Amino acid sequence: MKQKSILAFSGGLDTSVVVKYMQDMHNMDVITVTVDVGQGDDNNKIAKKAKKLGVKKHYNIDAKKEFVTEYIFPAIKANALYQKKYCLATALARPLIAHKVLEIAKKEKVSSLAHGCSGKGNDQVRFDNTLRSGSNLPIIAPIRDMNLDRETELKFANKHGIEIDTVAKKFSIDQNLWGRAIEGGVLENPFNEPPDDAFIWIKTKNLPEKPSYLKIKFVKGVPTEVDGKKLPPVKLIEYINKKAGNNGVGIVDHIEDRVVGIKSREVYETPAAICLIEAHSDLEKMVHTKHETKFKTLVDDEWAWMVYSGLWDDPLRKELDQFIEQSQKRVTGTVKLKLHKGNVRVVGRESKYSLYSHDIATYGKDSTFDQKLAKGFVELWGMQSTEANKF
Ligand code: ARG
């Protein structure tokens, strides 16, 4: 009897090549699992593709809701932006996909776990670590093991009649509800401006002349209503992606440090992530004390770094989550964003837990803030600095 292996399968170039390699080089039966995290792919088409590649069994799992509630919502609470820019779309999806693979691996009693990651990226770190957190089966990663490059893969795919769509030939894409990552091709020269056809979620031409407003209500850090409508989690993200994308909002272009040390040029379309994180962090500043705000920034940064680096299952990530969860108790309120020609700006916020006090802050004559008290405070505040400057 042939050995069985299980593979997280997207139907793209890498994972299709891996199926063939597993069958031909390792003489194994392959079970494929496609986890739908909002890639927007046609799942029937992927299933057909898997069949055509001769897999033993194919699973399709709809994990969109779980992705939003268990991964994206915690990321919003953590204002998670790796290196201040990247919303972690791919990084958040990988542990979820790997956990689903583990569930089926147990059921199917496979003898190894496979993935289609290269040895140059971050996904290998995320997959390997998450898979190891729940299993000690060997991990096979043919692209990494054989040091395959894209051209060799494309040739191999061609030889074996594996179809690859045209965008995938131009760029390397990974997308889900939280964002679309575009890499490779002309983008590998960091000075090249991304061509318009790299973008499919965000309008880059003929943008509306009039601004649009987006009103987001948060309850304990979780977005629950947009523009006055209660929306279920997946719909809420889709709604914002669409509205912000139509106003040209959500393109990120930056140089990113990968876990393995490579600097890469990354282009993202992440309209909902940008709007939600901007709104959420603004609301936090209204309800948190300055001490909470200062400290939470450190926790948020660490959280994003851990998730980026494939440490979703490390105890520290969960411990940080507990702090973050506790910090969201008063993060309830509404934030108003203005979207216009590629820009997003917070233009209003309100909360029943607001620490902003008009009576204290006003420059008008009714202010309850006693300026005279400030004199002594300022003197003591700067006392040591003043002393030190005497030398
Ligand atoms: N740099 C991002 C990350 O490591 C996105 C990677 C996206 N992958 C791709 N094939 N375009 O999470």
Side-chain angles (χ1 to χ4, degrees), residues 329-366:
K329 276 197 321 210
R330 287 173 281 113
V331 187
T332 294
T334 301
V335 180
K336 194 163 53 172
L337 297 169
K338 185 174 182 172
L339 313 168
H340 192 220
K341 295 203 172 190
N343 293 312
V344 57
R345 183 155 57 93
V346 176
V347 291
R349 68 289 274 164
E350 63 185 8
S351 168
K352 62 178 170 186
Y353 300 113
S354 173
L355 301 182
Y356 171 87
S357 158
H358 177 266
D359 289 352
I360 292 175
T362 180
Y363 285 110
K365 65 171 176 347
D366 301 334

Side-chain angles (χ1 to χ4, degrees), residues 86 90-91 94 122-123 126 172-174 181-183 256 258 264 266 268 308:
Y86 169 42
T90 301
R94 294 304 181 255
N122 297 316
D123 285 343
R126 300 163 187 156
S172 164
I173 308 279
D174 183 64
I182 314 144
E183 285 177 307
E256 190 172 290
R258 289 194 193 155
S264 67
E266 300 282 335
Y268 299 106
Y308 184 82

Side-chain angles (χ1 to χ4, degrees), residues 93-110:
R94 294 304 181 255
L96 169 59
I97 295 171
H99 279 297
K100 296 294 172 201
V101 166
L102 282 175
E103 271 169 44
I104 297 171
K106 272 201 192 102
K107 196 165 114 189
E108 291 284 348
K109 303 199 171 51
V110 298

Side-chain angles (χ1 to χ4, degrees), residues 62-119:
D62 182 355
K64 291 197 286 292
K65 187 168 172 226
E66 186 177 345
F67 184 44
V68 178
T69 57
E70 308 302 314
Y71 294 78
I72 292 178
F73 284 173
I76 295 171
K77 292 177 187 172
N79 302 312
L81 292 175
Y82 175 67
Q83 296 190 325
K84 311 261 183 269
K85 291 271 193 172
Y86 169 42
C87 71
L88 303 171
T90 301
L92 287 163
R94 294 304 181 255
L96 169 59
I97 295 171
H99 279 297
K100 296 294 172 201
V101 166
L102 282 175
E103 271 169 44
I104 297 171
K106 272 201 192 102
K107 196 165 114 189
E108 291 284 348
K109 303 199 171 51
V110 298
S111 54
S112 62
L113 312 164
H115 63 66
C117 306
S118 82

Side-chain angles (χ1 to χ4, degrees), residues 227-260:
D227 293 341
K229 285 182 291 257
K230 255 203 164 57
L231 289 176
V234 174
K235 286 260 174 328
L236 182 138
I237 306 290
E238 286 172 344
Y239 177 95
I240 302 178
N241 268 334
K242 194 143 190 229
K243 186 161 176 182
N246 280 339
N247 283 282
V249 168
I251 295 177
V252 172
D253 182 336
H254 85 140
I255 300 290
E256 190 172 290
D257 285 297
R258 289 194 193 155
V259 181
V260 293

